[in-house]
Amino acid sequence: MKLATIHDGSRDGQLAVVSRDLKSAHMADAIAPTLQAALDDWAFIAPQLDSLYTQLNRGETRRAFDFEPQRCMAPLPRAYGWVQGAAYLHHVELLLRARNADMPESLRDDPLMVQGGSDAFLGPHDDILLAHEEWGIDFGAGLAVIVDDVPMGATPDEAHGRIRLLMLANDVSLRNLIPAELAKGGGFLQSKPAAGFAPVAVTPDELGEAWRGGKVHGALRSTWNGHLVGQPDAGVDMAFNFPQLIAHLCKSRRARAGTVVGAGTVSNRPTGKAKASAGYGCIAEQHALETAADGAPGTPFMRFGDTIRIEMLDEGGKPVFGAIEQTVRKA
């Protein structure tokens, strides 16, 4: 299935089922008012949504309408939890190297995860509103899953069976605020404003062979101010898959239905011609490469008026989740 949340002026919007080609949609109000309501009773609600999805794709529904991503909120506009992992170790290595720091060996066996704010996610076309360019505004192209209830101590295999939906994410970072926060001995807070998400969340089966091994396989394209800057393959160089990240999260706690777990900025190691052209999923990675080559970064961070587009295309060149298309503006 493909699901979206239509903005209706409320905090949680209205749940809609979206056709496979992203051209039409149908409100799901007769089944579940919101995506969180559907997740709270997934075993009962999901088959009904799937039936509506089948009818919509066959053109058999009476209240279908043209799907407009501009009307969408994030698929889950607010969540019980938003936890971001660092599953792509090449990304971690680059950022640590730029700070003249070595990557701890423990990170190769035990994933790094941080908890972010989940009270108000950004929709796919919402502006990124910030007070100062000097904060070092950066985008972060990644993927995330929404889980059902996951018990404390769940194994990766058990966690795999609790993954309900997948989404594209823009994990916005304020890079110039990070050093001061880390120097205090804590984690990210002010340096991690609201994350944005593509308009459509999809069930794993919707991805076919692109979903295997607990990973999404496919190029994640980032276009900054109209210029393609990165298209790394999300299934390559992912050291920890989503079931492993979820199991790590639940080592000492349980996760409630509606918890969002991200895998961090997608990054490929530059080995071989294909990967050498993968580009970057955040500006900080480019800074790290420029610093290594020239002694200092040359690419500026995002400025007010800049745009970022993040999307993933299937083998036929069609969008899977729709696109994140956001503009940075002064708050």
Side-chain angles (χ1 to χ4, degrees):
M1 291 181 288
K2 295 191 175 187
L3 304 173
T5 294
I6 307 300
H7 200 298
D8 65 351
S10 69
R11 289 187 175 94
D12 299 304
Q14 294 188 57
L15 179 62
V17 173
V18 182
S19 62
R20 182 169 286 112
D21 60 10
L22 304 182
K23 291 183 178 180
S24 61
H26 195 289
M27 301 308 298
D29 52 326
I31 302 172
T34 66
L35 181 53
Q36 184 59 55
L39 291 163
D40 285 339
D41 197 7
W42 188 256
F44 178 69
I45 296 295
Q48 300 176 62
L49 293 174
D50 188 58
S51 177
L52 178 58
Y53 181 66
T54 299
Q55 294 175 49
L56 178 63
N57 284 311
R58 291 176 177 172
E60 298 174 351
T61 57
R62 295 183 179 181
R63 295 192 294 142
F65 56 89
D66 292 340
F67 180 59
E68 300 176 83
Q70 296 84 354
R71 295 178 56 200
C72 289
M73 306 171 76
L76 197 61
R78 52 179 176 167
Y80 287 112
W82 162 230
V83 184
Q84 184 78 314
Y88 298 89
L89 296 186
H90 180 246
H91 169 77
V92 179
E93 290 170 352
L94 284 176
L95 269 58
L96 288 174
R97 192 184 308 159
R99 299 203 299 263
N100 295 315
D102 295 325
M103 190 175 80
E105 283 300 315
S106 61
L107 289 186
R108 302 185 187 281
D109 303 310
D110 202 35
L112 170 67
M113 300 188 79
V114 297
Q115 193 151 5
S118 60
D119 52 329
F121 291 136
L122 297 179
H125 289 266
D126 288 346
D127 290 337
I128 301 170
L129 297 173
L130 295 165
H132 302 288
E133 289 180 340
E134 293 76 18
W135 285 345
I137 306 165
D138 198 359
F139 59 88
L143 287 145
V145 298
I146 304 176
V147 301
D148 204 335
D149 290 328
V150 185
M152 183 171 64
T155 66
D157 283 344
E158 291 170 336
H160 192 285
R162 303 302 176 99
I163 295 172
R164 295 294 173 250
L165 296 162
L166 296 112
M167 303 187 291
L168 289 189
N170 179 17
D171 181 35
V172 181
S173 295
L174 304 178
R175 298 294 181 184
N176 292 340
L177 299 185
I178 289 177
E181 291 201 307
L182 295 182
K184 295 177 181 178
F188 304 130
L189 182 67
Q190 294 174 337
S191 54
K192 286 290 185 178
F197 292 87
V200 173
V202 306
T203 50
D205 63 303
E206 192 68 30
L207 296 176
E209 286 300 311
W211 173 250
R212 61 184 186 275
K215 306 176 183 180
V216 178
H217 296 260
L220 188 55
R221 298 168 55 90
S222 298
T223 304
W224 179 18
N225 290 333
H227 301 285
L228 179 66
V229 296
Q231 48 185 351
D233 191 312
V236 176
D237 299 319
M238 188 181 188
F240 306 100
N241 63 21
F242 280 111
Q244 290 171 318
L245 292 175
I246 298 164
H248 181 79
L249 166 66
C250 293
K251 178 179 180 179
S252 61
R253 69 176 82 178
R254 57 183 176 176
R256 286 299 195 186
T259 297
V260 183
V261 180
T265 301
V266 175
S267 180
N268 289 165
R269 296 183 182 280
T271 55
K273 294 182 179 179
K275 293 185 185 179
S277 62
Y280 55 90
C282 71
I283 303 169
E285 279 197 12
Q286 180 68 0
H287 279 193
L289 294 172
E290 292 169 345
T291 299
D294 306 319
T299 302
F301 283 120
M302 300 182 80
R303 298 190 171 107
F304 295 142
D306 280 10
T307 60
I308 180 65
R309 179 185 175 95
I310 300 171
E311 62 185 339
M312 178 175 280
L313 308 180
D314 63 18
E315 292 183 351
K318 297 179 180 179
V320 179
F321 304 88
I324 297 171
E325 296 187 74
Q326 295 178 300
T327 301
V328 179
R329 300 197 188 279
K330 185 174 177 60

